[in-house]
Amino acid sequence: MQNSDFDIAEIIEGTTKLLVPRESITEIVPPKEPAFFNPRAKLNRDFSIIAYSAFLKNFDGPKIFLEGLSGLGARGLRVSNEIKSVEKVVINDLNPSALEIAKRSARLNELKNIDFSENEICRFLSDYSKKGNRGTIVDIDPFGSPSRYIDCGIRATMHGGMLSVTATDLQVLHGLFQNACKRRYGGTPIKVEYGNEIAIRLILGCIRSVAGRLDIEFIPLFVESDMHYYRVYLKILNRPDQEENLGYIIHCKKCGKREVSLEKKTNCESCGEKNHHAGPLWIGKMFDKKFLEQMLDETKNFQVDKTCERVLQKCILEEDMPGTYYTLDEIASRLKTSPIRLEKIIEVLHESGFKASQTCLNPTGFRTDADIEKIKEFF
């Protein structure tokens, strides 16, 4: 079926003109033919633009962007058009109709630094896996789990470069299919109020396991949770990771005590009940403060949603906070009372000598080094 058989519309994201199926804009569920395009994922692409720009400004070397699963190429087209320091963009997809529309979008924007590839993603990335030919930034944005592409994604990322990975199999990552999660990510979740953080840490844990096998270290720079997807941005370093950064989140469902640990603990130290365990998963930091500040600085240079700035400000505050967060509803439910204002509980925790901050992962969530009993007391 030819592109002419479909009704194609022109939209603008950032400063880039994109050709997309008209039904992607008018229908609640975007169609898959001739190619899937989700306009509600604009925020996700906005974050990518400022993250990639911030990263490339401080990268000394060739600036090559590889997009393995491009669809209509919205992200790659925006990178090519909006980030002036990029020298070369290559977008790849197996759907020839999607690539044809992407090529038309490239001509519409008069882009000269972009190439197109029609190939299976790992075959595409293997062409860029040799030293001297790797990508500065490698982007993997699949439907569902990225786990099958992590190996080839790491191999195609140059030393000191960035690997960006999306996961959209939320039901698996949130514990509806425990066996599938263990197969894909090497660990299992538990159903708790901070389930999206566990999901992100499972993704990072999976990448850590693959990277460890390849004698590769990575540093998480930024993680994002919005709607139907999770996305992580990592700096890849061609050296073995010496840190013990795989472990467990231990949670007591009776009293609400939780902790991050290298080892499992059978019983809760507070109430004696049997603990629940999520993992193995990543127990290290999820953010890099300097990089977050650079991203925040980049927001003024691009036409991106104001949400980007608000989210990054929260990320900066929580960068050095303990793993796992609490929610107002969770504490109020345990005390059988109404929630208090988020600003108020953070203020009280600070006044009592504890660290506390909002979290970018939940609008009513907060991080603190106070234990659950102290938090209940302050409520």
Side-chain angles (χ1 to χ4, degrees):
M1 189 173 286
Q2 300 299 313
N3 292 329
S4 57
D5 295 332
F6 296 95
D7 189 6
I8 303 297
E10 180 183 321
I11 65 170
I12 296 178
E13 267 195 18
T15 58
T16 304
K17 300 171 185 175
L18 300 174
L19 296 175
V20 303
R22 190 175 298 277
E23 289 185 357
S24 299
I25 307 167
T26 59
E27 300 297 320
I28 296 175
V29 179
K32 293 184 179 180
E33 296 293 337
F36 179 80
F37 174 78
N38 186 2
R40 291 184 292 278
K42 176 184 177 296
L43 180 63
N44 173 253
R45 292 186 284 270
D46 283 352
F47 272 119
S48 293
I49 292 300
I50 56 178
Y52 296 157
S53 179
F55 185 80
L56 291 172
K57 273 194 173 179
N58 297 278
F59 185 82
D60 185 19
K63 296 175 173 59
I64 302 166
F65 176 80
L66 306 177
E67 185 176 20
L69 295 161
S70 69
L72 292 170
R75 200 184 311 269
L77 289 161
R78 288 191 61 182
V79 169
S80 175
N81 185 54
E82 297 175 36
I83 304 178
K84 303 307 179 185
S85 61
V86 170
E87 298 163 8
K88 181 180 179 181
V89 170
V90 187
I91 66 175
N92 173 78
D93 203 271
L94 262 179
N95 182 345
S97 297
L99 287 174
E100 184 56 40
I101 296 173
K103 290 176 182 178
R104 290 170 55 190
S105 295
R107 291 193 293 269
L108 194 63
N109 290 279
E110 299 181 351
L111 302 179
K112 306 298 183 186
N113 62 343
I114 190 166
D115 290 329
F116 301 87
S117 165
E118 183 184 335
N119 213 334
E120 189 275 329
I121 176 174
C122 282
R123 288 183 179 274
F124 163 67
L125 292 174
S126 69
D127 290 339
Y128 293 91
S129 62
K130 294 181 181 178
K131 187 175 181 180
N133 197 37
R134 297 184 178 118
T136 317
I137 298 173
V138 174
D139 185 290
I140 299 175
D141 183 15
F143 292 112
S145 172
S147 57
R148 72 188 71 178
Y149 311 123
I150 289 170
D151 186 300
C152 53
I154 291 173
R155 293 176 187 274
T157 308
M158 68 177 65
H159 173 66
M162 174 185 278
L163 175 64
S164 179
V165 176
T166 301
T168 61
D169 55 338
L170 271 60
Q171 289 184 323
V172 171
L173 285 164
H174 282 258
L176 191 60
F177 305 104
Q178 292 272 347
N179 289 336
C181 191
K182 192 171 184 178
R183 286 195 306 271
R184 292 178 186 176
Y185 297 98
T188 53
I190 48 179
K191 294 181 180 179
V192 290
E193 292 80 0
Y194 52 95
N196 59 347
E197 177 170 349
I198 288 178
I200 289 169
R201 290 186 179 277
L202 282 166
I203 297 164
L204 291 170
C206 175
I207 299 172
R208 169 63 175 84
S209 295
V210 176
R213 176 167 51 82
L214 300 174
D215 279 342
I216 295 292
E217 179 185 2
F218 69 76
I219 300 171
L221 301 176
F222 174 58
V223 304
E224 183 193 354
S225 167
D226 185 55
M227 295 193 308
H228 61 283
Y229 67 82
Y230 302 125
R231 176 169 270 251
V232 299
Y233 296 80
L234 316 170
K235 183 176 182 178
I236 299 295
L237 299 169
N238 188 17
R239 65 192 185 201
D241 190 345
Q242 306 294 334
E243 296 293 325
E244 293 292 334
N245 41 36
L246 287 179
Y248 299 88
I249 289 176
I250 303 168
H251 185 98
C252 175
K253 292 196 174 183
K254 182 179 180 182
C255 70
K257 177 178 173 62
R258 75 285 303 267
E259 63 177 302
V260 176
S261 173
L262 284 169
E263 305 292 338
K264 290 183 176 181
K265 297 181 181 180
T266 304
N267 297 106
C268 177
E269 296 172 354
S270 293
C271 70
E273 279 291 306
K274 187 176 180 180
N275 283 318
H276 292 73
H277 300 88
L281 44 64
W282 177 263
I283 58 173
K285 285 190 173 185
M286 298 191 297
F287 302 101
D288 181 274
K289 189 173 184 178
K290 183 178 179 181
F291 183 72
L292 294 173
E293 289 170 343
Q294 291 167 346
M295 281 184 67
L296 185 60
D297 194 49
E298 287 298 302
T299 58
K300 66 178 183 292
N301 298 327
F302 296 94
Q303 293 184 21
V304 294
D305 195 293
K306 292 293 184 183
T307 302
C308 294
E309 185 176 345
R310 295 194 297 270
V311 168
L312 289 168
Q313 288 168 343
K314 289 181 180 180
C315 292
I316 290 169
L317 292 174
E318 67 178 309
E319 178 266 342
D320 64 344
M321 298 296 292
T324 77
Y325 62 85
Y326 301 87
T327 67
L328 298 176
D329 289 341
E330 172 193 358
I331 306 301
S333 176
R334 290 187 178 279
L335 296 175
K336 295 180 171 56
T337 185
S338 299
I340 63 175
R341 289 188 304 109
L342 183 59
E343 293 79 10
K344 182 63 177 176
I345 186 62
I346 291 174
E347 178 186 339
V348 171
L349 286 163
H350 284 162
E351 290 174 350
S352 302
F354 294 101
K355 296 197 296 184
S357 76
Q358 295 183 42
T359 174
C360 69
L361 299 179
N362 190 304
T364 68
F366 62 97
R367 297 186 187 273
T368 179
D369 57 350
D371 64 28
I372 186 72
E373 296 305 322
K374 277 291 181 186
I375 296 170
K376 290 177 186 175
E377 180 184 321
F378 295 141
F379 255 66

